[in-house]
Amino acid sequence: MVGLYRSRVAGVGSYLPEKILSNKDLEQMVDTNDQWIVERTGIERRHIAAPDQATSDLCLLASQKALEDAKLTPSDIDLIIVGTVSGDRQMPSTACYLQHKLGCSNIMAFDLNAACSGFIYSISIADQFIRTGVYKNILVVGAEVLHRYINYKDRETCILFGDGAGAWVVSRAESTDKNVIASSHMHADGGLSELLTLQGNGSLLSTSETPDENKNFVQMKGREIFKNAVRTMAACCKEAMEHNQVNPDQIDWVVPHQANKRIIEAVADQFKFPMDRMVVYLNETGNTSAATIPIAFDWAVKNGKIQRGQQILLTAFGAGLTSGSVLLRY
Ligand code: ACO
């Protein structure tokens, strides 16, 4: 989209809860083992929020770091978007709780549900608000406390997910700034919605009505998700590269949704992206849904991998099935 202005990533931050749930811990809970989990997923541990930590608390800690990195204060922020499927409450939005905790009242704040694509969907909306000149500084957060929706008797799902939050401040760029968001392309295929669900507490099925406790937990068809994850993320990477007329050699880093290392390897393989230019941090975090991309991005920045001026491709897929890409110069 052509607009009046372009947006840039002004600051990044993330937060992972202190408590760690390792593969060895899971061996005590379900019939699984560390070797199987590492070989089939790449995950070694995940972080779990404390009983008194809500999703907005994780958002707050990540947001404070992103604001500090951007050298801005909460009063500079014009809009807050939180990508999440595990917010504090069904109503009101986690973004409103975050707004209050940050102390920046009277600005627009809303949650966005695109599951694991929630962060890049939110970035795409922030980019539109900046391109049209409506806002200058937007706080975008991906955050989940997913462990509360995981059945720790189901070995197929409980090994995968963790809690965490990542935040970006997206700001209006100077007209001379080359480090801008170049494009965002978002998609959804509702025909595949039943592959990955969290059914309880919705208008179709209230939590109190269901005798089937699984309906209150994340349920997925793992193999089908796997195939669609590779297919959609590869298609999204191709779309972004064709739209911007760049080839894989011109991309410094790909930051993919962190669900399974084998999914990331399969996507890299399609474009001959070397794995050492794919950011992989899921060994430490597991799948934190909407939070994986900003957490992995922040980790790569803090560890000297991603640097200012580099060209970065973000890609995600999630329940919906949603998918998308963002190409930017950091
Ligand atoms: N430990 C040990 N064995 C296991 C485990 C476990 N935790 N889970 C499954 N198995 C067994 C199965 O029962 C099966 O046994 P069988 O051959 O006797 O029937 C065997 O391992 C192989 O099972 P598969 O399902 O074929 O294993 P696969 O290699 O496909 O790995 C996995 C399963 C890890 C779930 C994989 O399919 C996957 O990662 N899918 C994508 C999941 C995902 O990304 N979900 C979230 C996406 S969207 C979002 O992020 C919200």
Side-chain angles (χ1 to χ4, degrees), residues 136-194:
K136 264 186 160 174
N137 297 304
I138 301 178
L139 179 62
V140 180
V141 190
E144 307 285 3
V145 178
L146 265 180
H147 88 267
R148 302 215 169 100
Y149 303 95
I150 300 301
N151 181 357
Y152 285 95
K153 293 179 198 148
D154 174 6
R155 67 179 181 172
E156 256 206 61
T157 50
C158 75
I159 58 158
L160 298 176
F161 296 98
D163 303 336
W168 283 11
V169 177
V170 178
S171 297
R172 182 188 292 177
E174 299 294 329
S175 56
T176 52
D177 200 343
K178 300 235 176 325
N179 295 341
V180 294
I181 294 178
S183 69
S184 61
H185 293 92
M186 300 300 138
H187 301 282
D189 181 355
L192 296 174
S193 53
E194 297 312 295

Side-chain angles (χ1 to χ4, degrees), residues 32 36 40 116 155 196 220 222-223 257 259-260 262 287:
T32 192
W36 191 96
R40 305 309 290 164
C116 305
R155 67 179 181 172
L196 183 55
M220 66 168 194
R223 280 187 211 176
H257 172 47
N260 182 319
R262 289 188 298 133
N287 181 347

